Amino acid sequence: QAIRQAVTGEKSGTRGGRTPVIFLDRVTHVVDRAETALIAASAVVMFAIMAIVVADVGMRYLFNAPLDWSYDLIARYLIVYLFYFALSDTLRRDRHIVVDILARVAPPWIRCALELIGYSLALVVFAIIAWLGVERAWTEFAGNDVVFDSLQWPSWVVSVALPIGIAVMLLRVALRILALAMRLAGARHDWAAMYGEADAADPERAV
């Protein structure tokens, strides 16, 4: 009972326990919107990459005038945004590669505990990565650093993609940690939305 109250914020004999739940639902909604925006931006980047490649090939073989900047734009900028902007939404949909040999045979509470430990460790790692990414992007911005390629764009333009993508993923990981902890504590609530869309559609893994 004490653990459940500590995790959920509920108090015996009061109705104040709903306040943290409502707040978490709102945070989940904000994270969902952020992930939707980033994955949409990632899709636009993917379309831009395909369009540039088609244009470059056409210009090269039809007019012998390739786009000299196409490789640098795609390899140094667009691919980076494509990758980091899709991270959190991919996690929400459980599309990252995972090793689930033990999870398939373990009881639900053990599987939940293992995920909680894994996501807690991941939270620390991603927080460090996000901090280093912000530090690097700020250093490059303050120093007016420029990438030495055909575009000569400021280097922070590409470096800022990492902290943006990782920051949203951090929030998703934090929400999953809370959802798993609340499930272990026996809190009565539908935590599928907080955990991710995949669980809502998969009763075997739903939290």
Side-chain angles (χ1 to χ4, degrees):
Q1 179 72 13
I3 295 176
R4 185 175 68 84
Q5 291 177 1
V7 174
T8 62
E10 295 181 357
K11 296 181 180 179
S12 300
T14 68
R15 297 182 180 179
R18 288 296 301 170
T19 301
V21 172
I22 294 174
F23 173 75
L24 289 175
D25 287 342
R26 290 177 179 175
V27 172
T28 301
H29 178 71
V30 171
V31 175
D32 287 343
R33 295 291 295 273
E35 289 171 334
T36 300
L38 288 183
I39 198 65
S42 186
V44 171
V45 170
M46 174 65 79
F47 178 80
I49 291 174
M50 293 188 295
I52 292 172
V53 169
V54 170
D56 185 38
V57 172
M59 293 293 290
R60 179 185 301 275
Y61 291 101
L62 296 179
F63 305 101
N64 195 27
L67 305 176
D68 296 333
W69 46 265
S70 62
Y71 176 81
D72 289 330
L73 178 60
I74 293 174
R76 294 182 182 272
Y77 297 91
L78 297 183
I79 287 294
V80 177
Y81 277 89
L82 175 67
F83 175 79
Y84 285 110
F85 278 16
L87 278 179
S88 188
D89 188 77
T90 304
L91 175 62
R92 178 178 67 172
R93 302 176 187 278
D94 276 345
R95 292 298 182 263
H96 286 294
I97 297 175
V98 296
V99 180
D100 58 355
I101 297 177
L102 295 178
R104 290 179 178 274
V105 297
W109 72 271
I110 293 181
R111 184 168 67 242
C112 185
L114 290 175
E115 285 196 38
L116 180 60
I117 295 172
Y119 282 121
S120 298
L121 295 175
L123 185 70
V124 175
V125 174
F126 289 134
I128 295 174
I129 293 175
W131 173 257
L132 294 176
V134 170
E135 187 177 46
R136 175 176 178 177
W138 174 254
T139 300
E140 293 174 345
F141 175 78
N144 292 320
D145 295 347
V146 175
V147 178
F148 291 100
D149 56 19
S150 60
L151 297 172
Q152 297 288 299
W153 285 359
S155 55
W156 65 264
V157 171
V158 62
S159 297
V160 76
L162 185 151
I164 293 175
I166 294 294
V168 178
M169 190 173 184
L170 268 176
L171 293 175
R172 173 57 62 185
V173 171
L175 288 174
R176 285 201 164 186
I177 290 173
L178 288 174
L180 292 166
M182 289 172 176
R183 179 187 179 186
L184 286 174
R188 296 181 179 179
H189 188 68
D190 181 11
W191 304 113
M194 184 185 298
Y195 188 93
E197 290 183 356
D199 267 314
D202 187 356
E204 293 297 324
R205 298 195 57 199
V207 292

